[in-house]
Amino acid sequence: MEQKNKTTKHTSSAITHTYIYILTLPPPRHHTTMTNRMKQYVKQKIQYNTNQYIRQINHNYKEKNQPFSFNILSFSTTTIDEIEQKKTAMRTHTCGELTDASAGESVTLVGWVQSLRSAKGGMAFATLRDAYGETQIIKPASVMINNNNDNDDNNELPLESVVCIKGTVQARPTNQVKKDKSTGTIEVVADNIEIYNKADWENVPLVQKQHFNPKSPLASEALRLKYRHLDLRRPVMQRNLRLRAAVTSAARNSLETLGFVDVETPLLFKSTPEGAREFLVPTRTPERFWALPQSPQQYKQLLMVAGLDRYYQIARCFRDESGRADRQPEFTQLDIEMSFIDSNDIMLVVESVVENMINASKEILITHRNNNNNTVKQNDNNNTNTDKFEISKITYEEAGCDKPNLPGYTWVTEFPLFELNEETGMIESTHHPFTSPHPDDEHILWEAINNKDPMKALDVRGLHYDLVTQGVEVGGGSIRIHDSKLQLGVFEDILRLSPNQVGSFHHLLDALDHGCPPHGGIALGLDRFISLLCGDEVESIRDVIAFPKSTAGEEVMTGAPGMVTKEQLDEYHIVTKV
């Protein structure tokens, strides 16, 4: 018999109980498709409506004489409002929310022991840390520590151990108030201390108190990457991840308000000559390989052919490039594409989205500054301090380079469509081979194609635009070629791709012949943009990525990439050379 878990709520005026039911259904041959009836509350709170669900079951089963039953499995008195306030079955408050208004309350806190010092008479003071802040704990001499292990010293409280503190909030003496901490006016007198997980702190490579003190030198990046799960305990790293989440959410909300549709595109693609070195994924079919996408470029253009009109995606991209402070072999970009537009339409969308992303970052930065008594130096390259957010515009010829070091944010436009590779003598795309020529120069490109004279194409400007701030590229995009003959001419007569290389784009060339609208888009480098928003506390984009690769392209915490067995290599028809 198949079982399905169903969580429902019964609301009374006194308390909301959460019941977990087990629904026993008939054998699979009698199953009827059912829809979970859900009611959405304000602030995206979901509550299952039991009565509607039971009526649906009645309709599908009882009238057909199919047996079913409900059995109460367990219940909790935690409500969705309490979950939103960070309350759970294991804590009443976080370590960052108690104030002098909480004095006299009985509370339960959980977290990590950040510091510990002994006082006279057997009393001890500890700092308890969680994701939301710190709280000072007073351990009276009479309170023993329960570590659930009779073999250990019951009064030992190692640093970085995970503990539960039950006690009473009291106001700190006036001369001990710490105005630089959000919880600096109170302390919790413990009457029960339980160790959930005892840390071997003498062997913990990165102890919060010792290695992450703002007044102490920061541990080396090599050590921090090796023990990334410990490095992420640093308040600034927690801030970076929360800022990233807030900025990403702001981008999603902005684009969906404008009618954009979030579409996931495949991560297993094929190798196509787009410029960067690709990561190949072997298959069990000899000589057949997948390639991880350098970007969703071709798929998002195909979505425009499909008539979607407005697409976006928080996209994972992969390029096997040499390690640098602002590069990662796998990275994230905010990918956007629109139909029936010109460059200005794209720019207007991006300006609105970027403004909202910047504003979303400010609350996180201010909260972190207030909780940690430090001055967060946010990148001042935005002009949101004025009444109107604006981005200036300059041509490539006027700027004299592709990344002008100008204040604020700047659009750089009218790049050369192609450039000469001095080493190979071949013409290459400045942006990518799908960029449309400037309307005033399109006739020059056709002449170059018809005369098979790629050097003449060096005089053609493209409808390519970059968003730059103080010499750093934040994003780049273009209006795309939507004429299959022009696209084929660029491949064959300008870039001189081989027949096999041109053939790798057959799907795109076919689509351009099936009714392709004028379209264009942009991709914003999310990692780089967020690192700029974080300011001087970020040394590289690695500081805004939870588990980044080193400059050598390795993930040193897990030891990836790793070795594989000969049997695995044989299965994929791979022979290695040493």
Side-chain angles (χ1 to χ4, degrees):
M1 305 288 286
E2 180 180 343
Q3 290 186 328
K4 290 188 177 180
N5 291 346
K6 187 66 184 176
T7 304
T8 63
K9 287 192 173 183
H10 300 274
T11 304
S12 68
S13 59
I15 194 167
T16 299
H17 296 274
T18 302
Y19 293 89
I20 302 175
Y21 290 97
I22 296 296
L23 172 63
T24 304
L25 300 176
R29 66 179 181 273
H30 297 301
H31 282 182
T32 301
T33 302
M34 296 176 295
T35 302
N36 290 341
R37 309 289 181 135
M38 295 185 296
K39 181 178 180 180
Q40 177 138 11
Y41 285 153
V42 180
K43 297 182 181 179
Q44 300 179 344
K45 291 180 288 190
I46 304 297
Q47 177 175 355
Y48 290 99
N49 188 308
T50 308
N51 293 331
Q52 290 184 4
Y53 189 77
I54 292 176
R55 284 198 294 271
Q56 183 70 24
I57 298 294
N58 276 325
H59 175 74
N60 289 332
Y61 288 96
K62 192 172 182 180
E63 292 183 1
K64 300 179 183 180
N65 296 318
Q66 300 296 337
F68 68 94
S69 62
F70 279 100
N71 298 308
I72 294 180
L73 178 64
S74 63
F75 77 94
S76 166
T77 56
T78 303
T79 67
I80 193 67
D81 287 326
E82 291 171 334
I83 292 291
E84 183 182 24
Q85 297 166 15
K86 313 297 189 302
K87 296 180 181 178
T88 68
M90 301 184 74
R91 70 181 175 207
T92 60
H93 299 78
T94 70
C95 292
E97 69 175 288
L98 296 174
T99 66
D100 48 9
S102 309
E105 290 186 26
S106 295
V107 299
T108 301
L109 304 178
V110 290
W112 287 260
V113 179
Q114 179 165 312
S115 65
L116 181 69
R117 62 183 177 88
S118 300
K120 294 181 180 180
M123 181 182 292
F125 294 87
T127 299
L128 190 67
R129 180 191 78 246
D130 67 6
Y132 307 99
E134 303 170 1
T135 297
Q136 177 166 287
I137 308 297
I138 297 178
K139 174 194 167 298
S142 59
V143 174
M144 302 299 290
I145 297 172
N146 176 17
N147 59 19
N148 296 317
N149 189 334
D150 294 335
N151 296 324
D152 290 335
D153 181 359
N154 283 339
N155 229 23
E156 184 179 334
L157 195 62
L159 297 181
E160 297 303 318
S161 294
V162 180
V163 301
C164 174
I165 306 290
K166 295 182 179 180
T168 304
V169 182
Q170 70 177 23
R172 289 194 187 193
T174 304
N175 62 344
Q176 295 181 19
V177 169
K178 292 187 176 182
K179 296 181 179 180
D180 59 333
K181 297 290 185 182
S182 61
T183 58
T185 59
I186 59 92
E187 55 198 7
V188 173
V189 180
D191 53 47
N192 184 276
I193 300 176
E194 180 179 358
I195 297 180
Y196 287 153
N197 186 282
K198 183 178 179 180
D200 182 12
W201 76 273
E202 292 182 350
N203 294 314
V204 174
L206 299 175
V207 179
Q208 186 91 344
K209 179 185 177 183
Q210 298 173 357
H211 292 276
F212 301 141
N213 187 330
K215 298 179 182 179
S216 301
L218 192 62
S220 69
E221 185 180 45
L223 186 62
R224 288 184 284 120
L225 289 177
K226 175 67 175 177
Y227 298 97
R228 188 64 165 185
H229 57 289
L230 299 178
D231 187 32
L232 290 176
R233 292 180 181 178
R234 279 193 295 147
V236 69
M237 298 300 287
Q238 297 259 327
R239 180 210 69 176
N240 291 349
L241 294 183
R242 294 178 188 281
L243 186 145
R244 184 185 183 109
V247 169
T248 302
S249 179
R252 289 185 183 278
N253 292 338
S254 299
L255 288 166
E256 289 176 8
T257 298
L258 295 172
F260 284 80
V261 182
D262 183 4
V263 181
E264 295 180 358
T265 54
L267 290 183
L268 290 176
F269 189 41
K270 67 175 184 177
S271 178
T272 58
E274 294 183 45
R277 186 186 299 114
E278 300 164 314
F279 285 100
L280 301 179
V281 181
T283 71
R284 291 191 300 273
T285 302
E287 299 182 354
R288 299 295 294 274
F289 288 81
W290 299 100
L292 300 182
Q294 301 175 37
S295 76
Q297 180 63 46
Q298 296 180 59
Y299 280 115
K300 67 179 180 180
Q301 289 191 238
L302 292 169
L303 287 171
M304 297 302 100
V305 180
L308 193 67
D309 193 65
R310 297 186 177 193
Y311 144 94
Y312 87 94
Q313 181 183 184
I314 308 298
R316 299 294 287 168
C317 306
F318 306 85
R319 295 177 188 175
D320 189 5
E321 297 180 324
S322 301
R324 291 184 353 204
D326 62 344
R327 294 285 177 90
Q328 284 279 290
E330 57 175 319
F331 57 95
T332 307
Q333 66 185 34
L334 175 58
D335 207 44
I336 299 171
E337 198 80 3
M338 299 173 67
S339 293
F340 303 110
I341 47 89
D342 63 12
S343 302
N344 287 328
D345 294 318
I346 287 285
M347 292 177 187
L348 285 173
V349 168
V350 172
E351 289 170 14
S352 174
V353 173
V354 166
E355 180 178 13
N356 290 331
M357 293 169 76
I358 292 172
N359 290 337
S361 73
K362 289 183 176 180
E363 182 178 351
I364 303 294
L365 293 166
I366 292 171
T367 300
H368 175 77
R369 181 186 61 214
N370 291 341
N371 288 345
N372 293 277
N373 190 33
N374 59 1
T375 302
V376 178
K377 295 181 180 179
Q378 185 183 9
N379 189 342
D380 292 328
N381 299 344
N382 65 77
N383 45 16
T384 54
N385 294 325
T386 62
D387 293 335
K388 185 178 180 181
F389 180 80
E390 294 180 341
I391 300 179
S392 59
K393 188 183 297 185
I394 190 172
T395 67
Y396 174 82
E397 184 177 4
E398 292 169 338
C401 63
D402 57 344
K403 301 178 185 66
N405 191 355
L406 300 173
Y409 287 88
T410 304
W411 287 111
V412 182
T413 65
E414 298 186 16
F415 288 80
L417 188 58
F418 303 102
E419 59 188 4
L420 179 65
N421 185 320
E422 299 289 350
E423 294 183 1
T424 65
M426 298 293 289
I427 299 297
E428 297 178 347
S429 298
T430 303
H431 187 211
H432 58 52
F434 317 113
T435 301
S436 182
H438 192 287
D440 293 344
D441 296 346
E442 185 172 344
H443 68 284
I444 302 176
L445 180 58
W446 276 115
E447 289 178 12
I449 291 172
N450 293 331
N451 296 327
K452 300 188 183 304
D453 181 9
M455 291 298 175
K456 190 174 184 59
L458 293 174
D459 297 329
V460 179
R461 293 168 296 168
L463 292 180
H464 171 195
Y465 33 83
D466 277 359
L467 183 60
V468 176
T469 177
Q470 291 194 343
V472 178
E473 179 188 336
V474 175
S478 68
I479 301 299
R480 324 301 186 189
I481 295 173
H482 63 277
D483 181 328
S484 65
K485 295 181 177 60
L486 181 59
Q487 185 67 81
L488 182 61
V490 168
F491 287 156
E492 292 183 337
D493 301 315
I494 306 300
L495 300 178
R496 300 289 178 89
L497 299 184
S498 69
N500 285 340
Q501 289 176 318
V502 174
S504 68
F505 293 109
H506 71 86
H507 54 281
L508 181 63
L509 292 170
D510 286 346
L512 297 183
D513 267 338
H514 295 164
C516 177
H519 62 284
I522 194 170
L524 301 178
L526 201 58
D527 308 307
R528 188 178 301 170
F529 182 57
I530 291 171
S531 69
L532 291 172
L533 293 177
C534 287
D536 293 343
E537 289 181 287
V538 169
E539 296 179 357
S540 75
I541 63 171
R542 291 188 290 278
D543 287 341
V544 300
I545 301 171
F547 301 103
K549 306 298 185 288
S550 68
T551 53
E554 299 175 348
E555 206 278 85
V556 295
M557 183 180 67
T558 62
M563 302 290 289
V564 297
T565 65
K566 184 179 184 303
E567 288 75 17
Q568 289 175 295
L569 293 175
D570 290 343
E571 186 176 13
Y572 287 99
H573 312 283
I574 296 175
V575 178
T576 60
K577 295 181 180 180
V578 180

